[in-house]
Amino acid sequence: MNDETARGVLPAQASALPPGFFDLVHDLKAIVRGAHVRAQLKVNTEMLLMYWEIGRTILARQQDEKWGTGIIGRISAELRTEFPNQRGFSTRNVKYMRQLARTWPEQFGQQAAAQLPWGHLQLLMDKCETRFELDFYAQHAVHHGWSRGHLGSMIHTALHRAKGAAANNFDVSLPESSDAVKEVFKDPYRLDFTELTGRPAERDLEDALVANLVRFLTELGVGFAFVGRQYPVVVGDTEFRIDLLFYHCKLHCYVVLELKTRKAHPEHFGQLGFYVSVVDDLVRDKEVDGPTVGILIAESRDRSMVEYALRGYSKPLAVSTYAGLPERVQGLLPSAEDLSRIADDVLRKPSGGA
């Protein structure tokens, strides 16, 4: 079946169409879809503004008239009676409207939160404790297009505390862009998706991260592009291999990532600094790329030691930690032996039998 037949156009009809006709139709469909998206966003924004106005009005009347919280149920009933075909006026929802107005007392339409679906806002109001957290997660959800589930996951892992928390020497090594670079690196990184426990071998951790590369890139954050694993660089007559090499598309720089499944030690920074210097000289395009950044992800770190160790390097370096699968969770999972036994049992069963 050719393209025209697949579109429901007979060959005779297709021959009468001018060249580029289906390209034109494709462009027109994109325009219509774009208009639908904009209309949906407009409807969502108007609905949220209505919710905010309702909540603000209720707050004002409760304050002026000293009405108690029991009045919310009656308000809900009256609104549902007046607007029977419009959803969203349950007692629970009206309470959220009041909370929305209390949370954002200023003009809500100018906030990043006004661009989010109602379910996202309910989650934010349920899970966030401070206005800083609310605005932090609202801005990130809008900017990165997070689903409600992903937003909940980021709140659960306390991204607002991890983001920008990696110990570093960027103030000295990157004085003109230190704030922007700091925001890229977190501490700790959540690597529980690797399902590794205890203190795995560094190669095992590297294998697990590469096997789950999409999830690892998600954990690293927006902007990271994978360049290579055990990336080879030749210095003199010796070949060295970098654990993981990335490129950050927003910072326009290479990021050398070294893994240590034990506590960070001063000598680790020497190795990391060496790799950063080599990538700077042999890999990056000095006319396009910014200075290479190195980050060490270790099982743990001593902040005082890290502070002293970083002072000796002019290259931009950072150190973070990682959080693996908790032992209590690992205990609930089947062991490799269990899985092997189950697989053997299945293979021994006759096909088609009950």
Side-chain angles (χ1 to χ4, degrees), residues 7 11 28 60 187 228 260 278 288 299 350 353-354:
R7 296 187 183 99
L28 295 178
D187 181 47
K260 299 297 177 185
V278 172
V288 178
E299 180 208 23

Side-chain angles (χ1 to χ4, degrees), residues 41 66 97 102 112 131 178 181 190-191 201 272 276-277 289:
L41 290 174
K66 308 301 181 184
M97 296 175 199
R102 183 184 291 122
R131 174 62 187 270
S178 62
V181 181
R190 308 292 304 187
L191 305 186
L272 181 61
V276 168
S277 295
D289 304 323

Side-chain angles (χ1 to χ4, degrees), residues 128 195 199 252 342:
C128 295
E195 298 188 357
R199 184 174 289 173
H252 301 290
I342 293 170

Side-chain angles (χ1 to χ4, degrees), residues 39 62 94 104 120 123 138 163 181 187 191 217 224 227-228 235 239 251 281 294 308 311 319 344:
Q62 282 188 311
V94 174
W104 284 280
H120 284 56
L123 179 64
K163 195 172 180 63
V181 181
D187 181 47
L191 305 186
L217 287 171
F224 281 91
V227 177
V235 179
E239 181 181 85
L251 298 177
D281 290 344
Y308 280 110
R311 289 182 188 178
V319 59
D344 288 342

Side-chain angles (χ1 to χ4, degrees), residues 27 86 107 114 195 317 354:
D27 292 342
Q86 186 166 343
Q107 286 299 318
E195 298 188 357
L317 306 178

